Structures are given as C-alpha cells and as structure tokens.
Amino acid sequence: MQPQELRAENFAHYPPQARALAVANISVLQRIPLALLPVMLHEVINYDWRFPMEQQLLVRQFQYLKTLQPAYFATLMAPFAAIRLPKNIGHIDWVNQPQHFTEQLSALLWSMQEMDDYRTAALRYQEQLQQALIEKPPAMPRFTIVTVGHDVPQTNLPLFRPLRPHGVLFTAVQSDNGLETLLEFVNDRAQKHPEKYAHWYIDGGKPAPACGPQQGVTLTSYYKLAPAALKELNLTQRFVERTSKTNAVGPEAVQSFMAALSPADLGLHEGLDNVSLRYFEVDVLTKGAGTQVFSTTFVQWAAREAMRRSQPLTMLARFAPRQRMAPMNELLKRNPLTQETDTEGSLVDSDMGAYYTWINQKRLTGAEQARFLAWYEGHNIAIAIAPGMPQGTTSDAPTSLGKILEWMG
C-alpha cells in the first residue's frame, strides 16, 4: 500500500485518541512520502500515552502542514520523495507496525548508501518545523536541580569543573537539611503552578517521601523500577534463546521485541492517571543503553528524556551510588539493588551527568531565563547558574542552599 491509498478503516486498530487524530488528518497523511510517513505514524500510534506537551506538538504539526500551499508542501517533502525505495518495502504493514518499518528502512538506507541524504532531509524538515511552530515561553522560569555524591563520604575530585565557567561555585554551603530544603522548593513550585508533568523528581535510589504525586510532582526512581528492569532483561534473553533455535537473531529483531514491551509486560501497573508515566518508564528502560543496569545512567537518561518530552518547569535529579562494574553476563542477571556499590565511580558518573543535564536544559525554550543548581549532597560544595549571577566566580562565604535559591530568583 502507498500513502495515497490510506483510508479511515486502516487505523481501526489504533488506540482511540490516536485513531481520531489520524482520521482527522488523513488528507495530510496521504500526501507524505513513504520514507517519512511511518516515522510520523509511530508518533501518532503512541499518542494516547504521550505527555501533554508531546500531544500538543503533534497536533500543531498537523495544523501547520494543513495550512501549506500545495507547491510549498511538495517542496518540503521533495527530499523524502527523492529517496529511492524498492517497491516491495511497501508490503510491510507500516500503518500498524511503523516501528518495524522504520527499522527496516534504516537498514535499507544504509545498504543503499542513502542514509546521509535521509538525515539531511530529516534535519531540514525539523528545522522548518521549529521555525514555524514557535513555542511559547514557559509559565515560570525553568529550574533544574541536580544532586550528586549521595553516600559518598569525601572526594578529591574537582567537582562541577565543566559548569564553573557558567556560574558561581559555592564552597562553604551548610549541608544540614539540604535535601529537605530542595524538596520543599520543588513542592512549592508545583503548588504555585499546578500542571501535570510540569514538575519532576527523579531519584537513582530510594526517593524521599516528602516529594511526589501528593505534592503534584511526577516521581520516578531506579529503586522502584529495578524489578521491571530485571524482568525486561529476562524477557529479552528468553526471546533471543527461543528465536535463535530457528533463525539468526539480529539487533533489529531484539530492538523490535523490546520496543513492543508494555508496562504490563514489565509488571508496572498502568493506572489511568499515570499511563503516560508508565510508558515513559518503559521507554527509559528499553531504549536507554545501560539504564537497566546502572542507576546513574538511569537518572541521566530519564532526566534527558523528561526534559525533551515533557519540557518541565521544575526538575530535581538525584544521583545515587550504582553497583560495581562486572562482566556483562553478570550485570545482566544479578539484582542491582543487592550488589556492592562503587561510590567513587558513581560520583564521576553523576558529575558528568549534572553537566549533561544542564546542556539538555539549555535546549528548551526560555533557556536564557532558566536556573540550574548542582549540589554535592551532604557536603559544602554547590554551583548555581542563573541570570544576573556572575559567571566563573567562587564564593567562600558561609551560606545555605535556601539562601542560594533566593539569590537565583
């Protein structure tokens, strides 16, 4: 089947909201080249459990495409239409299995040496969308907090080195009740602007009970998801063992299997009011490299994806010690919550994770007004980046996290 042959009944197996969205925009979908269309349908088919920000962006994308004059629409799609695809690829059920189609398309483009052309076309398309779909500034300045070094008694590492040129390094921070202060700060922002998935708390260990859904904060943690991660690894191993008896199992097949896993498959209770979060957690575990094994990787990836997908106003990402390194076959089988931890290695991971989280915040709208705070938990070192604060400076004056938060505004 080709895009122009699409009919409303082709979307009969889509979830309710996704089906309604596809049918309402079928005139647009019929005009999109096959090299791009399944990528868009992958977003559509998952619409029902996407975050509100993602849903709004997809709806706005369709609204924009509908307003384009035919000649300009054709020009925008021309790079994708120019990609030569074999006729038999259209036999894949790209409507109901868009993920599988895009995996096959990727392999095909590499084999045809057209991947560079495809990437160029995709980048140009994204740039055009970004220029057309100018996002509104956030309702309040974004504020991201990262804590590192939980349970690390002392270190000689020069923490926050990549961040120092951009803010004030405080070296005499009073650490008493520091975490409580930060949690209260997150709760207060959630109460001032109560919006679902706008305020996040991501913990690499066991989360503090003072901050969570009851306070209007979206909460996820490695401690809670470790059993689901182990289940995912076990299910994947069984799939490989079962399938390899009759066919060679390539990375594409494994990726397709993992992409099809649902919250129920991993033992996560979906819940009507948390369906978007449950699917988000599955994505973090199945699409992030190492998120199942290392808590530090989980926090970094979850923070990155939450920023990209829900564009939160507030985020607290708390790194905790990860398990020690071991041969891969051991890492994929043992329970990470019962292993000896590598506190020093975890601090190295989380220090770099703090820097990456700041970079990801800068990619969001309103970045020029955003605030960023990183703290060595339980110790006297913190760095604050905010408008009006001097860059590349150090303060040795005794202070508290509460005062720093006030100065950041």
Side-chain angles (χ1 to χ4, degrees):
M1 186 172 68
Q2 294 300 310
Q4 59 269 26
E5 301 176 73
L6 277 174
R7 299 294 180 266
E9 53 267 26
N10 296 130
F11 303 103
H13 298 296
Y14 275 37
Q17 296 179 57
R19 181 168 63 250
L21 180 66
V23 172
N25 294 280
I26 196 167
S27 61
V28 173
L29 296 173
Q30 291 169 337
R31 300 160 59 200
I32 297 176
L34 190 57
L36 174 62
L37 181 54
V39 177
M40 294 185 65
L41 290 181
H42 177 65
E43 296 301 314
V44 173
I45 201 171
N46 293 312
Y47 181 87
D48 290 50
W49 42 83
R50 291 302 190 189
F51 293 126
M53 190 65 68
E54 295 177 288
Q55 293 178 333
Q56 294 169 21
L57 186 59
L58 188 56
V59 169
R60 291 178 62 206
Q61 181 177 349
F62 278 122
Q63 291 173 342
Y64 167 68
L65 293 175
K66 277 185 175 180
T67 64
L68 296 180
Q69 294 295 324
Y72 188 80
F73 188 97
T75 300
L76 186 63
M77 297 296 165
F80 297 102
I83 294 175
R84 297 173 290 111
L85 297 178
K87 292 182 179 180
N88 61 353
I89 197 172
H91 296 312
I92 299 176
D93 187 4
W94 47 266
V95 176
N96 294 295
Q97 297 180 337
Q99 173 76 19
H100 177 62
F101 182 92
T102 54
E103 291 166 2
Q104 297 298 313
L105 176 63
S106 178
L108 181 64
L109 291 171
W110 279 113
S111 66
M112 296 169 59
Q113 298 184 342
E114 292 201 35
M115 180 57 79
D116 288 342
D117 291 340
Y118 188 86
R119 284 177 172 169
T120 300
L123 286 173
R124 288 176 180 172
Y125 180 68
Q126 286 298 322
E127 289 172 358
Q128 184 64 36
L129 285 181
Q130 289 173 2
Q131 293 174 9
L133 307 179
I134 299 176
E135 297 180 22
K136 297 179 181 178
M140 60 196 311
R142 302 189 197 278
F143 209 119
T144 300
I145 301 168
V146 177
T147 69
V148 306
H150 177 55
D151 283 344
V152 180
Q154 198 52 261
T155 185
N156 294 320
L157 293 172
L159 293 176
F160 311 134
R161 179 178 288 178
L163 293 168
R164 293 184 187 187
H166 308 284
V168 181
L169 180 70
F170 294 91
T171 60
V173 179
Q174 299 165 5
S175 60
D176 294 346
N177 301 316
L179 181 61
E180 291 79 1
T181 298
L182 298 179
L183 294 170
E184 184 179 346
F185 179 77
V186 173
N187 290 339
D188 183 62
R189 282 175 60 91
Q191 293 170 10
K192 288 180 179 177
H193 191 82
E195 183 178 333
K196 202 167 186 180
Y197 306 118
H199 311 276
W200 284 70
Y201 171 25
I202 300 170
D203 202 307
K206 191 172 184 178
C211 185
Q214 292 184 341
Q215 293 78 27
V217 178
T218 301
L219 169 64
T220 188
S221 71
Y222 186 76
Y223 179 87
K224 182 191 74 171
L225 294 180
L230 280 174
K231 193 162 189 176
E232 180 220 337
L233 293 174
N234 289 333
L235 288 172
T236 304
Q237 182 62 32
R238 291 178 199 169
F239 167 77
V240 172
E241 292 174 352
R242 183 175 65 251
T243 309
S244 62
K245 293 179 180 179
T246 55
N247 299 292
V249 183
E252 294 85 2
V254 175
Q255 185 178 8
S256 294
F257 172 79
M258 293 171 64
L261 293 173
S262 69
D265 293 327
L266 301 188
L268 298 175
H269 301 291
E270 296 183 14
L272 292 178
D273 29 340
N274 271 321
V275 62
S276 297
L277 179 59
R278 296 290 87 83
Y279 274 92
F280 170 82
E281 290 169 337
V282 170
D283 283 349
V284 170
L285 293 178
T286 58
K287 297 178 182 178
T291 53
Q292 314 93 335
V293 177
F294 297 116
S295 68
T296 49
T297 307
F298 169 84
V299 173
Q300 181 181 321
W301 187 269
R304 171 189 181 273
E305 288 299 283
M307 282 190 173
R308 181 181 68 86
R309 293 178 50 181
S310 71
Q311 300 186 28
L313 299 174
T314 314
M315 176 177 288
L316 169 58
R318 186 188 185 204
F319 285 91
R322 58 162 171 79
Q323 63 174 317
R324 283 194 175 276
M325 288 290 295
M328 185 58 68
N329 61 332
E330 289 186 30
L331 290 174
L332 297 180
K333 292 181 180 179
R334 68 189 194 184
N335 185 341
L337 299 181
T338 61
Q339 306 306 312
E340 182 182 0
T341 57
D342 179 4
T343 53
E344 191 74 7
S346 302
L347 184 58
V348 174
D349 293 350
S350 56
D351 184 37
M352 186 56 66
Y355 178 57
Y356 288 151
T357 303
W358 174 73
I359 291 176
N360 291 326
Q361 180 185 254
K362 286 179 65 64
R363 294 181 174 136
L364 302 179
T365 57
E368 65 283 352
Q369 293 299 318
R371 278 78 166 151
F372 183 90
L373 174 67
W375 175 49
Y376 180 16
E377 185 174 339
H379 296 268
N380 60 358
I381 299 175
I383 186 162
I385 303 172
M389 298 193 77
Q391 298 182 355
T393 60
T394 300
S395 173
D396 298 325
T399 188
S400 66
L401 286 174
K403 279 293 182 184
I404 296 175
L405 292 171
E406 288 181 18
W407 292 332
M408 296 177 73

